[in-house]
Amino acid sequence: MSLLEHTLAALAIQGLFRFLTGNWWSGALAASAYFLGREVAQAEYRWIEVYGHGLRANMPWWAPMDLRVWPKLDQWVDWMGPIAATGAVACLLNRRR
């Protein structure tokens, strides 16, 4: 998925949560948590492959936060984009009320 697709999916999740709960912030939290969790899981797999000799048991708790497994800009933007977009929508639409 591209940044645009991640952001559109996050906004769709946010809209769904707004419809279900009446709260823009709950949707922002759910969408942001999903995309951040997805990227953290991918970072875990990268760490296991490169530094853990292919074994999850070799991975310390802090491995997903190891900056060595986040070398590409798109890995950062894939979770920052949805967080920024859903946060902006929640801020703007909560103020309108």
Side-chain angles (χ1 to χ4, degrees):
M1 290 178 84
S2 70
L3 168 62
L4 180 61
E5 292 168 329
H6 280 189
T7 303
L8 291 175
L11 292 171
I13 292 168
Q14 183 180 28
L16 176 65
F17 270 76
R18 167 63 171 95
F19 176 74
L20 295 173
T21 66
N23 187 334
W24 287 106
W25 285 106
S26 65
L29 179 63
S32 298
Y34 172 77
F35 283 102
L36 180 58
R38 182 177 182 272
E39 293 303 319
V40 166
Q42 290 177 3
E44 287 177 351
Y45 286 118
R46 287 191 300 271
W47 196 97
I48 291 166
E49 182 180 323
V50 175
Y51 303 108
H53 308 291
L55 299 173
R56 183 176 294 276
N58 294 336
M59 183 180 73
W61 66 268
W62 48 265
M65 295 171 276
D66 188 344
L67 294 179
R68 296 177 297 175
V69 296
W70 293 89
K72 298 178 186 171
L73 180 61
D74 68 325
Q75 295 165 343
W76 291 89
V77 175
D78 282 348
W79 62 270
M80 288 181 178
I83 289 173
T86 58
V89 166
C91 281
L92 291 172
L93 295 180
N94 267 350
R95 283 191 190 158
R96 275 188 21 184
R97 265 201 249 168

